[in-house]
Amino acid sequence: MHAPRCWRQLLAAALVAVILPAPLYAVASSTGEPASLRNEAEESAASDQQAVNRELELFRGSAISLSQAMAIAESLHAGAMTADVSFDGASGSPVYRVKTVHHDRIRQHAIDATTGKIVGGEAALPLKELDAEDRSNLVALKTIRHRLADAIRVAEQAAAGKAISGGLIRERGRLNFAIVVMSGSDLKEVILEPPGAAGRR
């Protein structure tokens, strides 16, 4: 369970842009590729960037915050806790995709980012059908004192922005919260290790 791949790719692209501020054509021209291939790559990159910019603009205009969407999803089942949440502006109208854990199931809800209403039905999957790593992460989530909502509050303060996604990741045996925050026009990833999670492998 972790932040969606598209945001992680965008962060990687943003880091590359910081490290290599040269224009794309200058980097591509050193590869010896034919001009037609360079043009296709540039057009594809421009198209991808337009899609990302559109999605970020929708997020900026959302009336419902990530934390509010989590609270809405958690209120559907007493005792449910959010394991993963992300903004999705690619479909018709923007929604938050919220995965909650309740008893032995993981449930997915779509929360309208404008109205806060539930969109569509609830998808539920028994935890035993997840892969071993995801199952282990969710079991650990139930035993730590801090919740994803706590991590989001800390990340938003640290990065001075609004969280656009958050979830669990396991890196080098450590369970962490990974929160992506929009700060101005930048996306920042904040990694937080919940107290007491270090020994949970």
Side-chain angles (χ1 to χ4, degrees), residues 97-180:
R97 306 236 176 248
V98 186
K99 292 179 184 172
T100 60
V101 181
H102 184 249
H103 296 308
D104 63 345
R105 290 178 131 21
I106 185 156
R107 303 171 189 275
Q108 181 166 320
H109 307 276
I111 311 294
D112 189 294
T114 304
T115 65
K117 293 182 178 176
I118 312 293
V119 178
E122 172 183 283
L125 183 69
L127 292 181
K128 64 183 180 184
E129 292 187 23
L130 299 175
D131 67 36
E133 183 179 339
D134 283 345
R135 248 191 343 268
S136 171
N137 289 349
L138 292 173
V139 167
L141 177 66
K142 291 179 178 182
T143 64
I144 57 180
R145 188 165 45 94
H146 291 79
R147 300 287 176 244
L148 183 56
D150 301 319
I152 285 172
R153 278 192 293 277
V154 170
E156 287 179 333
Q157 289 177 346
K162 286 174 56 178
I164 194 165
S165 72
L168 290 169
I169 60 168
R170 191 174 289 269
E171 291 181 342
R172 291 184 222 110
R174 294 178 178 268
L175 184 66
N176 296 315
F177 289 119
I179 316 297
V180 178

Side-chain angles (χ1 to χ4, degrees), residues 58-73 85-87 95-98 111-116 152-153 156 161-165:
L58 287 170
F59 175 71
R60 282 188 196 97
S62 297
I64 304 297
S65 71
L66 193 84
S67 295
Q68 288 171 315
M70 288 170 53
I72 291 165
V85 59
S86 61
F87 179 81
V95 296
Y96 289 100
R97 306 236 176 248
V98 186
I111 311 294
D112 189 294
T114 304
T115 65
I152 285 172
R153 278 192 293 277
E156 287 179 333
K162 286 174 56 178
I164 194 165
S165 72

